[in-house]
Structures are given as structure tokens and as C-alpha cells.
Amino acid sequence: MTYQGDIDPLVPLRDRIDRYSEAEVARFRADFLANGFVRIPHFLPSALHRAITRECEGISSTSGRNKHLTMKSTGDTPRRMRTVGQHILREKSLFIPRIYACEAVRGFLTAITGETVHRVPWPPEEYVLSNLFRDGDTHGWHWDDYSFAFVLYLKAPDVAQGGFLQLCAGGSWDKENPKVNETLLSGAIHTHRCDAADAYLLNAQKYLHRVTPIARGGERLIVNMTWANERDLAAEMTHETNDVLFAS
């Protein structure tokens, strides 16, 4: 793949990461360790954000697949969204594979989590695109296979339009007997919102989470990048939900 001009488009992103002070990274780490979640405002530099958004809008429009189903392995919670899998982004995106492969990004996530962050060993889980754009679109309650979800916000709905991230600590994912409601009853539900060009890091294996339904013509376009820790690399994993949502 080639780029227009001679400048690597990830240079601004590396510069952004380099400009975070030790105190800022320490605050990110403290929030993440305390809450399983940290929002990173304005993570994507403006020009890079615009370029990635244009690219991903096109890929979603031409290659996305509309999903409207429930997932048995997460207690029949709903999925209604347009999705693009890693195999398509790998071939059609100039930016997403490079961001995932960027050592500065991985080092930044390692500094926040306090443990070594690795690329996931199963490529279809590396990075995916999801687009909630119809009223009622939602990504229902679920846990992730791997520990860390790093989400880049390309388009974000207004407050009145929903599409919030909600998470609840507790429980664990037994795919044969998911106890979603029991987990929700056992702990507080916390709600978060991000703006376009923000990012967030989530302990997605430990925290049950969902995206609330979109309403009033809102749109949420994000790239989800999945990362593993040492325990994940040693564990046996199955990938039922990824196969259903992103393989086709």
C-alpha cells in the first residue's frame, strides 16, 4: 500500500503519544486500574482523524454487513449494527493495520495497563469496524475473549442520541451458561460517553459491557482494536461471537 506524499501518516499519532507527560499517563493508569476504563480525549490528531473517518465511512458503506440478531453465548443479548471484519480492513484500509502494528501505540497501552500488552494471536480479533447508524442499533451486553479493547471514535452521537458505553464489574464469561442478569444485579452500572477523535481503553474481559441503543438519527462509527496480556496468550480461546459478527 502507498500513501499520498512522502510523510508517514502515523507520524502525527506518534508525536501525540510522545507529548503525553508522565503525570498524564499516570492519571490514565490510575483511572484504568480503578475503573476498568479510561477515556483518552483527542487521541487522534485532527488530520489523521478526518482521513481515517473518510476511509472507514467508505469501507462501511461498500463492504459492511448489517447484523440483526441475538447472541446465545451472551444470554441472547442483541446485536444490531453494520460490521466490517479484520480480513476486509487488512486489505482495504491504509490506516487501521498500521495503527495496530505501531509500537508506539502498543507501548502507550502497556504504560496504561501496567502489564505487557501483546497483539492477539488470532488475527480476526485484531481490529474490526462497527457502525451504529439506525435508530435502535445497539451492541448488547457481552464480555470479550481477550483482556483489552482499545476503541477509536471516528463518529460519535450527541448526548440526546444515545450510543453510550455502559459497563459492570463482576461475573465471568461462561459461554455455556452466561449469567448476564446476575452480573448486572451484583454490581453498579457505569455509563461513559466519548467524542469523535477520542479513544478509550477497556478491560473488556473483566467488565461486562454494552453500547446503548442509538436514537434520533445518531451515528457511532468506531474501530475496536483487541489486545492480549500474558494470561490470554496461555489460555485456550474460542471465537464464536467474532465469527458471527465479523467473519462475513
Side-chain angles (χ1 to χ4, degrees):
M1 293 181 180
T2 59
Y3 299 87
Q4 292 183 350
D6 298 325
I7 299 175
D8 183 338
L10 295 190
V11 167
L13 185 59
R14 295 189 188 99
D15 289 344
R16 173 65 51 87
I17 291 170
D18 286 343
R19 286 199 299 271
Y20 288 119
S21 68
E22 291 185 7
E24 287 175 304
V25 174
R27 287 196 296 271
F28 292 151
R29 181 167 58 250
D31 284 349
F32 179 77
L33 295 179
N35 305 309
F37 167 91
V38 61
R39 176 188 173 191
I40 305 167
H42 313 298
F43 178 74
L44 291 173
S46 296
L48 182 60
H49 169 247
R50 289 193 298 270
I52 296 173
T53 301
R54 286 194 300 269
E55 176 186 80
C56 288
E57 284 178 325
I59 294 172
S60 177
S61 176
T62 59
S63 302
R65 296 291 182 267
N66 293 330
K67 305 289 183 176
H68 191 176
L69 45 84
T70 59
M71 302 297 293
K72 181 179 179 181
S73 61
T74 56
D76 294 317
T77 55
R79 308 290 186 275
R80 184 175 177 182
M81 66 187 96
R82 179 176 291 167
T83 66
V84 180
Q86 186 267 3
H87 60 296
I88 294 174
L89 292 173
R90 184 185 65 234
E91 297 299 324
K92 295 192 174 186
S93 172
L94 296 175
F95 300 106
I96 304 308
R98 286 183 63 86
I99 293 174
Y100 190 77
C102 179
E103 282 299 311
V105 171
R106 191 171 74 89
F108 181 59
L109 300 180
T110 291
I112 294 174
T113 63
E115 55 185 315
T116 302
V117 169
H118 301 274
R119 296 180 68 139
V120 291
W122 198 64
E125 292 265 19
E126 289 180 336
Y127 44 82
V128 296
L129 181 73
S130 70
N131 192 189
L132 280 61
F133 63 98
R134 300 159 297 192
D135 285 6
D137 277 5
T138 185
H139 193 163
W141 290 108
H142 62 287
W143 294 271
D144 288 7
D145 291 315
Y146 293 97
S147 288
F148 306 124
F150 187 54
V151 173
L152 308 179
Y153 262 76
L154 306 182
K155 301 179 77 172
D158 293 336
V159 171
Q161 297 172 321
F164 307 128
L165 175 71
Q166 292 187 315
L167 56 112
C168 180
S172 59
W173 192 9
D174 179 347
K175 295 181 180 182
E176 297 301 320
N177 184 27
K179 296 183 177 180
V180 171
N181 289 337
E182 291 87 343
T183 300
L184 294 173
L185 287 171
S186 70
I189 297 172
H190 298 277
T191 303
H192 302 278
R193 180 183 177 275
C194 291
D195 292 317
D198 290 352
Y200 72 74
L201 180 63
L202 172 67
N203 190 330
Q205 190 183 72
K206 181 178 179 181
Y207 284 75
L208 180 66
H209 55 284
R210 74 160 180 166
V211 180
T212 64
I214 291 287
R216 300 181 181 181
E219 183 175 5
R220 179 184 189 265
L221 179 66
I222 62 98
V223 175
N224 183 16
M225 297 184 171
T226 301
W227 299 85
N229 60 18
E230 296 283 350
R231 293 182 300 279
D232 295 337
L233 298 182
E236 292 187 10
M237 297 283 186
T238 58
H239 308 279
E240 296 90 340
T241 57
N242 185 281
D243 288 344
V244 170
L245 287 175
F246 300 104
S248 61

